[in-house]
Amino acid sequence: MNNLLKSKLNCLCLICFIIEACNPSSDQPAYDVIVYGATPAGIMTAVTAADHRAKVLLVEPMSVVGGMVTSGLMTAESEHMIDQCITGRARDFYVRLGEYYYDSTYFQTFGNGRGLNFQKGEPAFYYESKHAQALFRQMIEEAEVDLLINVHLVNTTTTDNRIQQIQLSSGQLYTAKYFADCSYEGDLMAQTGVSYTFGREPISQYEESLAGVRLIDDTLSARTVDNQGNLLPFFNRYDTLITGSGDDRVMNYNFRPIMTKVDSNQVAIYRPQNYDSTRFNFLADYLISEPETKLNQLIGVYPRGNRKFEFNNQQKSLVSLGMFGANRGYTDGDWTTRERIYQTHKDWTLGFLYFLTSDPRVPESLKAETQEYGYAADEFVNNNHFPYYLYVREGRRMIGPEVHTQHDVFGNRQKKESVLLGSHWVDSHHVQRIALSDSTFTNEGRIWEIALLPFEVSYRVLTPKREECENLLVPVCASFSHVAFCTYRLESTWMQAGHVAGIALSLALEDGIPVQDVDVPRLQKMLQKEKMIIEADSIRDYTDYDWLEGHHRYGDMYQRMYEEYGVDVTSL
């Protein structure tokens, strides 16, 4: 049995309404709403709909709830967002975290926390995954949402552009009047027959200057072929690329382990079951040529409270936790394919850390630095202290009646049917590693562009085309181009989209109408009543980006994209 299945079966003792995945039965309760995927967006969709009197079932393939927020992503990523744009139930979630778990002392223990200047009653935009998971469970219990875990979608039955029932891997069949696909992959959407895409559009499709293949990174030196001249794994040839062209590749995935230097809360970095040191020959060659390499040059080391650290993919590294190209086949893959890719990434992450602590080719200074860290013993206690979720940064993207693009982020920022705000920078991790010669390569696909102004998100990017499905909303794999999705793919933004979906589904249920016919002005008023801010121009006098002025790294880069659209941001 592989580790993904083991982690699924290591079920936490959830204090919520859980339906056991047992034998198939035709005697299942009827639901108003079924939400597939207990991601943060899924939880917000479910509890919001339930609070508006819907009977809701929440289905999650893993053994835990909360997606990346409970698997090592211990930030709302507000450091590259406008604080005021995180609103509604999403903001309430972070405020409750602060009330339950944290005080100002906690935030004084690390740099980003000190910058937050946390005061009682304010949102805790940094937190610990174990606390986020506990709060999500409590929210599910409070809303009396039925929760089904450890089962995934197998089949979807539709009639007359409506989902009638879903079948799960347990064999059980469930029916509902309305559905929401809140998975990172968009599986329910795809099985329903809704139009979707994945990968990168070419520049020509939407006339986006940031689209397609992007050969903008530095040339790095390392061998790219083996002794027989064959290309090493996860490299692609330069002569197959055309700048600005589209493809079906998505940005790299990785796990985000939570580490600590506190001996009393530390599990030593252990030799993984499938360890193979030859996988890291590429890294070993580099370390021989660069013996002064520090850990943070290979791994993103993010300090958090209680002397914990998030380990993440390091963008500028020769090689890091992200496996370039190893996610090929995941997006449209079946369950077996995804399990294999999941395990490949897990083996890589565990092996990468063990290699740095043990291999004789690693410089002693780097080895000693890595050995200071261990897995946090109080996190992921039912999964050998390793995150449950693989960080699927980008899966399918719906092609709805409207598609938001780069132009909607920087130029056309106001929407008549706006239901939430976005504000994060355009952030795509690298997509692939390109061999330029036998001894040089470059990493391709990075986008990192500053967004200074909030932009509005239309309700229409959450709805499928009417002729494809009338009783489904898609808050996560929503209708965005790759470039625009890179500003939308934040858990704090997705939670707000879940808030929108929960109310919209309750309105559709109340009137018995397609989700496309929901009264959007009424929806907007209800959202605003629940403390959602949906108008970009109402966000004023914010100081979130004052630190950019004169910054040695960014300079006047913050103006670049806005100049393309004739928008003056020099006075901000």
Side-chain angles (χ1 to χ4, degrees):
M1 182 181 295
N2 65 34
N3 287 343
L4 176 57
L5 291 178
K6 288 181 180 177
S7 73
K8 287 175 61 188
L9 295 172
N10 284 331
C11 196
L12 299 176
C13 297
L14 300 176
I15 33 177
C16 53
F17 292 81
I18 297 180
I19 306 168
E20 294 296 335
C22 50
N23 295 322
S25 168
S26 58
D27 237 358
Q28 301 299 342
Y31 289 96
D32 296 320
V33 174
I34 292 178
V35 179
Y36 185 67
T39 59
I43 294 168
M44 288 298 173
T45 301
V47 300
T48 302
D51 286 347
H52 286 268
R53 300 183 299 281
K55 182 174 178 57
V56 181
L57 172 66
L58 178 60
V59 180
E60 170 53 43
M62 300 293 283
S63 64
V64 296
V65 301
M68 284 305 300
V69 171
T70 60
S71 275
L73 183 62
M74 299 192 294
T75 169
E77 304 198 68
S78 58
E79 59 269 36
H80 298 118
M81 301 177 73
I82 300 168
D83 179 319
Q84 297 178 53
C85 290
I86 303 174
T87 65
R89 288 176 182 249
R91 194 175 191 89
D92 290 345
F93 169 79
Y94 296 114
V95 168
R96 288 184 68 175
L97 274 178
E99 290 173 348
Y100 289 176
Y101 303 112
Y102 305 115
D103 57 29
S104 58
T105 304
Y106 170 86
F107 293 98
Q108 291 304 310
T109 61
F110 61 106
N112 284 128
R114 288 190 290 273
L116 190 62
N117 192 28
F118 177 82
Q119 304 295 322
K120 186 175 177 59
E122 293 182 344
F125 287 144
Y126 300 92
Y127 47 84
E128 294 173 82
S129 280
K130 63 178 184 179
H131 292 156
Q133 187 176 115
L135 179 54
F136 277 138
R137 294 181 206 155
Q138 182 174 348
M139 291 168 60
I140 293 168
E141 179 186 15
E142 290 170 348
E144 299 186 356
V145 169
D146 288 346
L147 175 64
L148 184 60
I149 59 175
N150 284 323
V151 286
H152 61 270
L153 187 66
V154 171
N155 188 49
T156 303
T157 302
T158 61
T159 305
D160 297 329
N161 302 330
R162 294 183 67 86
I163 302 172
Q164 300 299 325
Q165 69 177 13
I166 60 172
Q167 181 180 6
L168 303 178
S169 54
S170 61
Q172 291 171 303
L173 301 173
Y174 288 91
T175 61
K177 298 173 183 175
Y178 294 90
F179 295 80
D181 187 345
C182 295
S183 66
Y184 292 126
E185 296 84 3
D187 288 341
L188 178 57
M189 170 188 74
Q191 285 196 13
T192 302
V194 170
S195 297
Y196 67 88
T197 187
F198 57 90
R200 300 178 287 181
E201 297 88 357
I203 288 176
S204 59
Q205 184 163 345
Y206 298 118
E207 299 299 325
E208 297 172 295
S209 60
L210 300 176
V213 171
R214 294 171 52 79
L215 294 166
I216 62 173
D217 282 62
D218 295 338
T219 298
L220 303 172
S221 296
R223 64 173 175 170
T224 63
V225 296
D226 61 21
N227 294 334
Q228 287 73 46
N230 299 312
L231 206 61
L232 291 174
F234 307 123
F235 275 94
N236 294 313
R237 292 286 186 190
Y238 174 69
D239 57 12
T240 63
L241 298 180
I242 301 173
T243 299
S245 62
D247 59 22
D248 61 355
R249 296 178 179 273
V250 296
M251 68 184 90
N252 69 64
Y253 300 167
N254 63 271
F255 285 95
R256 292 181 76 140
I258 300 177
M259 314 299 285
T260 183
K261 292 184 177 182
V262 178
D263 291 341
S264 61
N265 190 36
Q266 190 180 91
V267 175
I269 294 172
Y270 49 85
R271 180 188 176 97
Q273 182 177 359
N274 300 320
Y275 181 67
D276 179 359
S277 65
T278 63
R279 292 177 180 170
F280 306 100
N281 286 346
F282 180 70
L283 174 57
D285 289 349
Y286 174 74
L287 294 177
I288 290 171
S289 64
E290 299 290 340
E292 302 303 316
T293 299
K294 303 295 185 185
L295 183 61
N296 64 6
Q297 294 174 272
L298 299 175
I299 295 173
V301 179
Y302 306 156
R304 299 293 183 242
N306 287 340
R307 298 186 67 186
K308 290 181 180 178
F309 299 82
E310 282 183 52
F311 277 17
N312 191 20
N313 183 56
Q314 176 59 276
Q315 293 284 8
K316 291 186 175 296
S317 176
L318 179 94
V319 57
S320 188
L321 299 184
M323 293 189 71
F324 289 53
N327 57 11
R328 294 282 285 167
Y330 184 93
T331 310
D332 249 355
D334 59 20
W335 194 252
T336 301
T337 300
R338 288 183 182 170
E339 285 180 327
R340 174 180 54 77
I341 293 171
Y342 177 104
Q343 190 61 46
T344 297
H345 282 79
K346 185 171 184 177
D347 290 344
W348 173 265
T349 306
L350 291 169
F352 192 98
L353 295 176
Y354 182 73
F355 174 87
L356 292 178
T357 63
S358 63
D359 197 279
R361 295 170 291 178
V362 176
E364 288 302 318
S365 59
L366 176 59
K367 187 181 296 183
E369 182 184 5
T370 310
Q371 288 171 344
E372 293 177 9
Y373 295 90
Y375 300 105
D378 61 343
E379 297 282 1
F380 321 128
V381 294
N382 293 298
N383 201 43
N384 210 13
H385 312 287
F386 191 79
Y388 301 95
Y389 286 83
L390 175 64
Y391 195 176
V392 177
R393 292 185 168 91
E394 181 181 28
R396 299 180 178 97
R397 300 188 307 278
M398 179 171 64
I399 303 175
E402 293 182 15
V403 178
H404 278 8
T405 69
Q406 170 185 314
H407 311 302
D408 300 290
V409 175
F410 295 106
N412 184 24
R413 297 183 302 107
Q414 277 80 32
K415 304 295 173 189
K416 180 180 179 181
E417 296 185 310
S418 172
V419 288
L420 68 131
L421 299 181
S423 68
H424 196 272
W425 298 10
V426 187
D427 179 15
S428 174
H429 282 235
H430 289 109
V431 174
Q432 58 185 329
R433 180 170 286 136
I434 305 301
L436 303 176
S437 70
D438 289 354
S439 58
T440 60
F441 73 96
T442 187
N443 296 329
E444 185 276 318
R446 178 73 168 132
I447 309 176
W448 185 237
E449 291 291 345
I450 299 171
L452 285 180
L453 300 172
F455 55 90
E456 298 173 2
V457 177
S458 170
Y459 176 65
R460 298 301 158 194
V461 302
L462 308 183
T463 70
K465 298 171 185 175
R466 182 189 298 270
E467 63 270 21
E468 294 180 344
C469 191
E470 295 183 347
N471 65 338
L472 172 70
L473 288 178
V474 186
V476 176
C477 297
S479 187
F480 287 78
S481 70
H482 165 71
V483 175
F485 192 80
C486 293
T487 69
Y488 179 72
R489 62 172 193 85
L490 289 304
E491 299 289 1
S492 52
T493 303
W494 278 334
M495 280 196 273
Q496 293 175 86
H499 186 174
V500 174
I503 294 182
L505 291 171
S506 72
L507 292 177
L509 177 67
E510 178 182 321
D511 295 333
I513 56 175
V515 294
Q516 292 84 358
D517 291 340
V518 165
D519 184 341
V520 175
R522 184 184 176 196
L523 170 62
Q524 291 170 323
K525 290 179 181 177
M526 293 177 70
L527 289 167
Q528 290 171 318
K529 186 176 180 180
E530 295 188 8
K531 300 183 291 184
M532 282 278 279
I533 297 177
I534 62 175
E535 296 176 352
D537 287 345
S538 65
I539 305 295
R540 298 178 181 274
D541 302 323
Y542 52 91
T543 60
D544 301 69
Y545 296 137
D546 285 358
W547 59 271
L548 278 173
E549 187 175 1
H551 193 278
H552 70 282
R553 175 181 175 187
Y554 295 110
D556 61 359
M557 175 182 164
Y558 67 90
Q559 300 180 44
R560 183 164 63 194
M561 292 307 300
Y562 293 101
E563 288 175 347
E564 183 176 329
Y565 291 90
V567 177
D568 183 9
V569 294
T570 56
S571 61
L572 290 178

